[in-house]
């Protein structure tokens, strides 16, 4: 099912939180609404679900405008972060609940429940109650309940927020597997960039009720639209340094990095430097001191303070021999940096 938002507007009282937002989710696509708290991503999801009234624009399921249709009349499946399972019901009863509300026969329900339970790999848990399940198992039940009704659209509202790190990784791949296997159109709301980048075909990065950039994860990481996008994606995060671009590119109150190239004559700029683009043998050496060192097993993360007060991060293979407090002369790969105007616009 193709989903289209045209000029979607939402107000709470006199405050407009979403203003004329446009978004298209193609049939079978999984897209992430990514952004910080308060950016409007959950508001958008709840409007698609029919839980929020729309104050302007259209919400199209295929060719059908559902903006004025009740939540009960929209064929959507929703998975919340708190699972919302009925504690007095068994797993099978929880999964079957939407079918029972729809008035399906017991035989129909039993067949569908067993099929969807097998799909999400909880077929052996059907007689248990939620209190007897782990967090990951409860989330699978919630996913099965959302899918059993064969919805046009699957909506996922921070579905992994209550799981530990290991379970989050497991459920990321499981949800993506099920979405691909069923071919359902899905929208994931999350503030976690790793979830968005690993689970979705495209990301819509939001800020203050609007979409700043929408693209495939790798494209957004490699070609951010502005400083906000560059700063939001990336872990460890990107570093920003003020610089001056004349004939040479020179750090503010610091050394020259070399020929300014395409930035020649731009004047004041802000450079965005990801950790993988700073380190030994990457460019003209810049004196600095290691002020933070984290061992991540296969690699080490460094934070280096430059002589001009700026700070950069670097990732090196573990066992590099560089310790905390060491003086380093590492460089920046000028071919891979991003440049922004002082206002944050991409140059």
């Amino acid at each position: 099912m193709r989903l289209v938002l045209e000029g979607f507007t939402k107000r709470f009282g006199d405050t407009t939180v979403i203003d004329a937002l446009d978004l298209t989710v193609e049939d079978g696509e999984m897209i992430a609404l990514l952004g910080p708290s308060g950016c409007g991503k959950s508001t958008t999801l709840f409007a698609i679900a029919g839980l929020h009234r729309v104050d302007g624009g259209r919400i199209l399921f295929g060719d059908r405008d559902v903006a004025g249709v009740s939540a009960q009349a929209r064929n959507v499946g929703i998975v919340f972060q708190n699972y919302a399972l009925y504690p007095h019901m068994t797993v099978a009863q929880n999964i079957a609940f939407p079918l029972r509300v729809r008035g399906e026969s017991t035989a129909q329900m039993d067949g569908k429940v067993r099929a969807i339970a097998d799909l999400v790999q909880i077929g052996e848990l059907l007689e248990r109650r939620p209190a007897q399940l782990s967090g990951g198992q409860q989330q699978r039940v919630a996913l099965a309940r959302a899918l059993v009704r064969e919805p046009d659209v699957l909506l996922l509202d921070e579905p992994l927020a209550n799981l530990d790190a290991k379970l989050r990784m497991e459920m990321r791949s499981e949800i993506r597997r099920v979405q691909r296997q069923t071919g359902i159109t899905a929208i994931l709301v999350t503030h976690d960039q790793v979830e968005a980048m690993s689970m979705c075909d495209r990301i819509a990065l939001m800020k203050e009720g609007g979409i700043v950039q929408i693209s495939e994860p790798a494209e957004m990481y490699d070609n951010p639209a502005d400083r906000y996008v560059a700063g939001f994606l990336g872990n460890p995060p990107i570093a920003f340094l003020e610089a001056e671009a004349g004939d040479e590119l020179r750090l503010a109150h610091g050394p020259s990095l070399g020929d300014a190239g395409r930035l020649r004559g731009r004047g004041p700029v802000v450079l965005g430097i990801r950790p993988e683009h700073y380190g030994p043998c990457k460019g003209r050496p810049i004196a600095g001191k290691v002020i933070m060192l984290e061992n991540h097993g296969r690699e080490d993360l460094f934070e280096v303070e430059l002589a001009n007060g700026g700070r950069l991060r670097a990732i090196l293979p573990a066992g590099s021999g560089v310790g905390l407090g060491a003086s380093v002369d590492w460089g920046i790969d000028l071919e891979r940096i991003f440049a922004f105007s002082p206002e944050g616009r991409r140059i």
Side-chain angles (χ1 to χ4, degrees):
M1 177 70 72
R2 190 171 188 256
L3 170 66
V4 179
L5 274 64
E6 291 182 352
F8 163 55
T9 299
K10 177 61 187 172
R11 303 183 189 93
F12 292 106
D14 295 330
T15 303
T16 299
V17 293
I18 306 285
D19 188 13
L21 183 144
D22 294 325
L23 175 67
T24 298
V25 187
E26 299 296 343
D27 183 25
E29 182 181 30
M30 186 168 183
I31 197 167
L33 300 181
L34 175 66
S37 297
C39 71
K41 55 189 187 294
S42 289
T43 298
T44 302
L45 190 85
F46 293 158
I48 295 170
L51 303 179
H52 281 337
R53 179 177 58 85
V54 173
D55 293 307
R58 301 198 299 167
I59 299 177
L60 300 174
F61 284 17
D63 296 326
R64 178 188 178 212
D65 185 2
V66 300
V69 175
S70 69
Q72 293 77 12
R74 302 185 194 189
N75 189 24
V76 298
I78 310 176
V79 179
F80 297 101
Q81 70 180 63
N82 62 355
Y83 320 133
L85 302 178
Y86 297 106
H88 63 287
M89 293 184 181
T90 65
V91 167
Q93 290 168 337
N94 267 282
I95 296 173
F97 185 79
L99 305 180
R100 185 175 296 109
V101 171
R102 190 185 286 175
E104 296 194 14
S105 69
T106 299
Q108 288 176 315
M109 288 191 294
D110 287 348
K112 291 183 179 181
V113 166
R114 291 192 177 279
I116 202 69
D118 288 341
L119 179 66
V120 300
Q121 300 177 354
I122 54 171
E124 75 282 4
L125 305 177
L126 291 176
E127 298 308 313
R128 296 189 188 182
R129 284 182 164 75
Q132 299 172 295
L133 305 178
S134 68
Q137 290 169 336
Q138 290 185 54
Q139 192 59 284
R140 289 172 189 265
V141 176
L143 180 60
R145 185 180 58 187
L147 290 170
V148 75
R149 62 186 296 166
E150 299 178 352
D152 295 324
V153 180
L154 175 65
L155 305 177
L156 304 156
D157 183 33
E158 302 274 8
L160 309 181
N162 291 337
L163 302 179
D164 62 36
K166 184 176 183 297
L167 272 177
R168 280 201 303 272
M169 183 177 297
E170 177 183 318
M171 287 305 299
R172 284 202 305 262
S173 61
E174 279 299 290
I175 291 174
R176 183 57 162 157
R177 176 186 65 81
V178 171
Q179 185 269 331
R180 282 176 165 159
Q181 193 165 336
T182 58
I184 192 170
T185 302
I187 299 177
L188 168 71
V189 161
T190 181
H191 65 275
D192 187 325
Q193 57 171 301
V194 176
E195 286 180 17
M197 296 183 75
S198 63
M199 294 173 64
C200 296
D201 298 297
R202 289 189 299 156
I203 296 172
L205 182 58
M206 298 186 68
K207 177 184 180 182
E208 297 175 355
I211 295 175
V212 180
Q213 183 174 351
I214 181 167
S215 60
E216 295 180 0
E219 170 65 15
M220 186 174 290
Y221 185 83
D222 293 333
N223 191 25
D226 60 17
R227 178 172 174 171
Y228 171 77
V229 178
F232 201 95
L233 287 192
N235 186 27
I238 195 170
F240 296 104
L241 294 179
E242 294 182 357
E244 184 77 22
D247 291 333
E248 292 188 325
L249 185 61
R250 184 177 296 275
L251 295 181
H253 313 294
S256 170
L257 302 180
D259 188 279
R262 64 181 180 84
L263 299 176
R264 188 183 306 275
R266 287 280 187 174
V269 296
V270 176
L271 305 180
I273 303 140
R274 295 204 185 277
E276 60 266 34
H277 303 146
Y278 168 67
C281 307
K282 290 188 180 293
R284 184 176 294 186
I286 307 168
K289 181 179 180 180
V290 176
I291 60 171
M292 187 274 289
L293 170 58
E294 293 180 359
N295 177 263
H296 292 178
R298 291 175 298 177
E299 60 193 22
D300 291 334
L301 171 64
F302 298 86
E303 185 165 348
V304 176
E305 185 173 55
L306 307 180
N308 70 339
R311 293 185 179 183
L312 292 174
R313 299 177 185 90
I315 299 175
L316 300 180
S320 63
V322 179
L324 186 65
S327 295
V328 296
D329 290 296
W330 294 345
I332 299 168
D333 183 353
L334 296 185
E335 297 298 317
R336 304 297 300 275
I337 64 172
F338 304 123
F340 307 95
S341 70
E343 298 77 30
R345 177 176 43 83
R346 179 79 182 273
I347 299 174

